[in-house]
Amino acid sequence: MERLKQQAIQMARRAAKGVAAIALHWSGARELLSAVQRRAVGGRRVLILSYHRVVKDFGLEEKRSLSSLNVSHETFRRHLEALQETHDIVPLEDALSVIDGSRAAARDVAVITFDDGYRDVYAHAFPVMRDMRVPGVVYVPSALIGTERRLGHDRLYAALARMRERGIGPVAVGVGGRGERWLTDALEGGADPHTALERLIAHYPTPGLLELAEALEERLGLKHEKAPDGQLPMTWEMLREMDSHGIVTGAHTAEHTVLTHAKLSEARREIAQCKATLERGVHKPVKHFAYCNGYYSAGVAQALRAEGFISAVTTEDMPNVPGADPFALKRKVLWEASSMGALGFYSKPLIACQFDDTFGMLGVQKPVMGARPTNFEKEETAPAEISAHG
Ligand SMILES: [Zn+2]
């Protein structure tokens, strides 16, 4: 009953947003608000978009993967076409120059980025971008490239979805220990697999979550189930080919680690390792970084700077203002539903409102902030572990 109610509320929200978008678009209010915002930021706006998977069949993938990471290739193309009407889509370095004031822009500028290095970005987004001559950045976890390993969040989601399907609770699944405690917390109040996954990632360190994924797969007999091809990581050849068409490789840690949950010394090590591995693989300097789960700290940003990175992106859905910190760039995360109107079809007014941040300006959509304290203290409580890693 509660689940149905939540679903109904979600549908009503989407419908309201879809209808509002049409009114805002045709009344001219959207344009007016964007002019106000342009004045507020003192010039051209810099919009950085974030996608994850670009899939062939959204409906099919919805049944077998975390759908809030997915956009269909048709919708993705429509997004780019709509975006080009109002923005110049530029390489990230050009956008950085607009932000630091060293470059003037004739129109608002936008940057296309992808997180996580999914193979279907190569299969379905790359052909669209190559045709349209659109540049971009793919932020990849270096340890997964060229392997058949799936990301921890996909493995956990698959396990949580299977538990729900079979009606297995956090204790009955039998992982014991801290894994059982984490699952109990995450599933509190009958949370759906998506909510439970978000809670796990927000609260617990990545290496522990990978162990939990392993234990769940063992208990649920998922170990040898084949993942959808597009969910696998890209190969080095794919990254190099995309790079030759202006879609450059950025870093997203080695293991998709939420660095603010790790000790700062471990974060430093992973940042260095990831940069070295990527530069060896793509034969080019890697200068841009994306924080996993959007979480960052002053200490982590400092470590990135020290390793030679020149920018890092968050998932804070806000405008990038001139003079802003290049290690806390704001991004708008989009998926299929971001442009799905009241009737469940693609809505151009809705995507125009997303690009213009109309809902943010009206206070309907609130950004989730990613800044966290630097993790110094724990570093000193485990000196043995630090020396063990050299
Ligand atoms: Zn990610």
Side-chain angles (χ1 to χ4, degrees), residues 52 115-116 139 151 153 252 256 291-293:
H52 290 81
D115 285 12
D116 297 352
Y139 295 106
L151 280 153
H153 52 247
H252 198 38
H256 202 274
Y291 301 110
C292 295
N293 211 40

Side-chain angles (χ1 to χ4, degrees), residues 136-140 145 234 236 238-240 242-243 246-252 278-279 281-282 284-289 309:
V137 187
V138 277
Y139 295 106
V140 304
I145 295 304
M234 285 195 248
W236 293 108
M238 291 175 188
L239 287 178
R240 287 194 293 262
M242 288 173 75
D243 180 272
I247 302 158
V248 302
T249 300
H252 198 38
L278 290 177
E279 293 186 342
V282 297
K284 274 182 73 175
V286 170
K287 295 180 281 187
H288 307 292
F289 190 89
F309 284 98

Side-chain angles (χ1 to χ4, degrees), residues 328-380:
L329 296 172
K330 313 302 176 196
R331 280 195 304 174
K332 184 176 283 293
V333 181
L334 296 177
W335 65 294
E336 189 73 13
S338 309
S339 54
M340 202 183 273
L343 300 174
F345 298 112
Y346 175 76
S347 158
K348 193 175 168 188
L350 184 52
I351 197 64
C353 284
Q354 301 282 14
F355 293 153
D356 262 341
D357 193 34
T358 314
F359 298 118
M361 290 189 71
L362 293 172
V364 184
Q365 207 160 272
K366 291 251 173 0
V368 179
M369 304 308 285
R372 296 289 182 276
T374 297
N375 206 344
F376 289 120
E377 317 82 56
K378 287 185 201 155
E379 191 174 3
E380 283 144 20

Side-chain angles (χ1 to χ4, degrees), residues 83-157:
L83 185 61
Q84 281 185 326
E85 289 179 18
T86 48
H87 293 68
D88 285 334
I89 306 178
V90 300
L92 178 55
E93 291 195 21
D94 291 7
L96 291 172
S97 307
V98 174
I99 292 172
D100 74 18
S102 60
R103 175 191 289 258
R107 304 164 79 202
D108 288 338
V109 301
V111 181
I112 308 296
T113 71
F114 301 91
D115 285 12
D116 297 352
Y118 287 111
R119 201 168 288 183
D120 50 20
V121 167
Y122 174 80
H124 304 301
F126 174 47
V128 175
M129 294 172 79
R130 191 183 42 200
D131 283 359
M132 296 176 72
R133 296 174 179 278
V134 166
V137 187
V138 277
Y139 295 106
V140 304
S142 60
L144 273 73
I145 295 304
T147 74
E148 303 281 303
R149 283 175 57 199
R150 291 160 75 202
L151 280 153
H153 52 247
D154 290 323
R155 295 169 62 194
L156 281 171
Y157 179 80

Side-chain angles (χ1 to χ4, degrees), residues 40-313:
V41 301
R44 294 298 165 191
R45 295 178 302 171
V46 176
L47 172 67
I48 308 178
L49 298 178
S50 161
Y51 294 93
H52 290 81
R53 296 182 58 196
V54 179
V55 300
K56 190 163 179 199
D57 182 341
F58 180 78
L60 171 70
E61 287 299 333
E62 197 174 20
K63 292 190 196 86
R64 59 181 192 183
S65 64
L66 186 53
S67 58
S68 62
L69 297 184
N70 299 345
V71 64
S72 72
H73 67 106
E74 295 101 337
T75 302
F76 177 68
R77 181 186 283 274
R78 285 165 150 170
H79 284 191
L80 293 188
E81 286 167 356
L83 185 61
Q84 281 185 326
E85 289 179 18
T86 48
H87 293 68
D88 285 334
I89 306 178
V90 300
L92 178 55
E93 291 195 21
D94 291 7
L96 291 172
S97 307
V98 174
I99 292 172
D100 74 18
S102 60
R103 175 191 289 258
R107 304 164 79 202
D108 288 338
V109 301
V111 181
I112 308 296
T113 71
F114 301 91
D115 285 12
D116 297 352
Y118 287 111
R119 201 168 288 183
D120 50 20
V121 167
Y122 174 80
H124 304 301
F126 174 47
V128 175
M129 294 172 79
R130 191 183 42 200
D131 283 359
M132 296 176 72
R133 296 174 179 278
V134 166
V137 187
V138 277
Y139 295 106
V140 304
S142 60
L144 273 73
I145 295 304
T147 74
E148 303 281 303
R149 283 175 57 199
R150 291 160 75 202
L151 280 153
H153 52 247
D154 290 323
R155 295 169 62 194
L156 281 171
Y157 179 80
L160 290 162
R162 191 59 61 90
M163 283 170 66
R164 190 178 189 96
E165 238 169 71
R166 296 194 196 153
I168 305 173
V171 178
V173 76
V175 292
R178 67 174 184 189
E180 183 178 308
R181 282 198 307 278
W182 293 0
L183 282 174
T184 305
D185 283 353
L187 290 162
E188 157 107 39
D192 59 62
H194 187 183
T195 308
L197 176 67
E198 281 187 346
R199 288 176 182 169
L200 287 172
I201 296 172
H203 294 128
Y204 305 113
T206 308
L209 290 179
L210 289 175
E211 277 170 31
L212 176 60
E214 192 76 27
L216 284 172
E217 285 168 348
E218 189 78 55
R219 303 295 307 180
L220 295 162
L222 299 177
K223 273 222 142 346
H224 300 291
E225 272 187 26
K226 203 181 163 327
D229 265 355
Q231 214 184 48
L232 294 173
M234 285 195 248
T235 64
W236 293 108
E237 292 73 26
M238 291 175 188
L239 287 178
R240 287 194 293 262
E241 189 185 345
M242 288 173 75
D243 180 272
S244 70
H245 291 271
I247 302 158
V248 302
T249 300
H252 198 38
T253 76
E255 291 282 347
H256 202 274
T257 303
V258 178
L259 294 177
T260 52
H261 290 335
K263 296 166 208 149
L264 186 57
S265 60
E266 284 170 3
R268 280 199 198 107
R269 203 160 32 233
E270 185 154 346
I271 289 167
Q273 182 196 339
C274 153
K275 190 167 196 279
T277 308
L278 290 177
E279 293 186 342
R280 250 196 327 272
V282 297
H283 313 150
K284 274 182 73 175
V286 170
K287 295 180 281 187
H288 307 292
F289 190 89
Y291 301 110
C292 295
N293 211 40
Y295 288 3
Y296 62 101
S297 68
V300 169
Q302 181 48 41
L304 289 171
R305 238 182 259 269
E307 277 302 320
F309 284 98
I310 62 169
S311 81
V313 288

